Amino acid sequence: MTSLLEVKDLRTRFFTQDGVVHAVNGISFAVNTGQTLGIVGESGCGKSVSVLSVMRLIPDPPGRIVGGEVLFDGQDLLKMSSNEIRRVRGNRIAMIFQDPMTSLNPVLTIGRQVSEALELHMGMDRAQARRRTIELLETVGIPEAGDRIDDYPHQFSGGMRQRVMIAMALSCNPQILIADEPTTALDVTIQAQIVELVKRLRDEIGMAIIWITHDLGVIAGLAEEVIVMYAGYIVERANVKDLYADPRHPYTIGLLGSLPRLDETRRERLTSIEGLPPDLIEMPTGCPFYPRCKYHMDRCRKELPILAPVGLHHEIACWVDVRQ
């Protein structure tokens, strides 16, 4: 099967006064039509920068994509002109940004912000775009959408604003939806509603989803495949069932150990990963997780591991077999 989106050896740097920040370090992944890919890892591991690089939204300066390919429907997004990528962005590939409180323009009505993409990409006039906007707001669960279309963002709750962001992202029936931690600022009840909404819309529209989060609990019921990132590298990749049943990278084991479990027969103490992520300016020559890893050996300090298979559709970047 030909992948809808294929990222090959993507590398992104930020050139600062303190030095070069190695934000994304040669990651590769693919997404097929209708598939949901989860990207997980702690803050600063490169999740958001990776997808912003795919969307060509890295601010230059100080950021720059220094290598790799992003093939979408056979075309390299990194080689497109500014006008060409604008026709793709928001139309065929859409994104829900992290914070609904700041992602909406406070001086434009909700209706105007949703309808703008319809006029730009779908060629609708204002009346057509307004009717379609009301339909979209109803689809994402905004009550009395026809009466609320002329309200401003401050008149909506956080959960309702996030639903508006989803409506904006879905307005042009994208082939890929990228969701960058869309439930982080919401309470757990609203989080569950947003996740269920996206799953329903995915099944109805048939779009692919890239869902970025630091919360492995959200990914469990949403994604088919999971990528675990650390210090700008992919350290483990597996289908979701294998990752939870048999995590093989020490970092993934640590992440899962920090999650509360509802299926344990006795109370287990949650574990934590000691230490801090590496300085992305002064990158180590070996494994970036080496200083925090309880399984490390001397080779880990000297050599950078590459992704290698440990099972069917299961890869890790680690020199140690934690099963032994």
Side-chain angles (χ1 to χ4, degrees), residues 25-29 225-229 233-238 249 252 304-310 314-319:
N25 300 305
I27 69 167
S28 301
F29 62 87
E225 184 179 1
V226 184
I227 285 171
V228 182
M229 289 191 67
Y233 295 95
I234 295 174
V235 296
E236 185 158 7
R237 171 168 42 216
H249 194 281
T252 310
L304 178 68
I306 60 173
L307 279 172
V310 291
H314 195 160
E315 299 174 303
I316 63 169
C318 187
W319 297 122

Side-chain angles (χ1 to χ4, degrees), residues 11-233:
R11 300 173 185 270
T12 303
R13 305 285 183 262
F14 289 90
F15 298 86
T16 71
Q17 291 181 337
D18 297 325
V20 180
V21 178
H22 296 71
V24 179
N25 300 305
I27 69 167
S28 301
F29 62 87
V31 184
N32 298 321
T33 301
Q35 180 189 11
T36 300
L37 172 70
I39 303 179
V40 301
E42 61 195 330
S43 297
C45 72
K47 307 184 301 293
S48 296
V49 176
S50 298
V51 294
L52 289 172
S53 299
V54 168
M55 295 285 282
R56 295 263 303 274
L57 290 173
I58 297 294
D60 182 7
R64 193 185 312 154
I65 301 167
V66 297
E69 294 178 301
V70 179
L71 302 176
F72 173 64
D73 220 6
Q75 292 184 293
D76 189 350
L77 299 183
L78 303 186
K79 293 181 179 178
M80 286 185 175
S81 67
S82 297
N83 286 334
E84 288 173 331
I85 192 66
R86 273 197 291 267
R87 285 195 287 269
V88 173
R89 197 166 49 212
N91 181 17
R92 301 177 67 192
I93 305 177
M95 188 164 180
I96 307 170
F97 292 94
Q98 193 168 44
D99 186 0
M101 309 302 176
T102 57
S103 297
L104 293 168
N105 190 326
V107 299
L108 293 178
T109 65
I110 291 297
R112 184 68 199 126
Q113 294 187 62
V114 177
S115 63
E116 185 177 28
L118 294 168
E119 295 174 28
L120 180 65
H121 293 300
M122 308 294 281
M124 295 184 183
D125 61 31
R126 285 229 167 183
Q128 291 171 323
R130 184 179 176 87
R131 287 194 296 271
R132 177 60 179 151
T133 296
I134 293 172
E135 292 175 4
L136 286 164
L137 294 177
E138 289 172 343
T139 299
V140 299
I142 302 288
E144 301 175 344
D147 296 328
R148 304 217 60 186
I149 189 172
D150 295 317
D151 287 350
Y152 289 86
H154 73 270
Q155 295 173 274
F156 286 73
S157 67
M160 288 294 112
R161 273 185 261 197
Q162 194 59 283
R163 290 170 187 268
V164 172
M165 292 291 295
I166 294 171
M168 291 173 65
L170 297 178
S171 59
C172 298
N173 296 322
Q175 292 168 272
I176 301 175
L177 176 68
I178 299 174
D180 185 7
E181 304 211 36
T183 60
T184 298
L186 307 176
D187 65 60
V188 290
T189 305
I190 304 301
Q191 281 186 27
Q193 292 175 4
I194 295 296
V195 170
E196 286 303 313
L197 171 63
V198 171
K199 287 168 67 175
R200 176 174 62 81
L201 295 173
R202 173 197 63 191
D203 294 340
E204 290 177 0
I205 299 172
M207 63 187 174
I209 296 175
I210 301 174
W211 189 284
I212 300 147
T213 183
H214 61 271
D215 187 346
L216 280 158
V218 170
I219 287 295
L222 182 66
E224 288 98 44
E225 184 179 1
V226 184
I227 285 171
V228 182
M229 289 191 67
Y230 184 79
Y233 295 95

Side-chain angles (χ1 to χ4, degrees), residues 1-6 31-33 73-74:
M1 180 188 295
T2 302
S3 299
L4 180 61
L5 178 74
E6 189 171 4
V31 184
N32 298 321
T33 301
D73 220 6

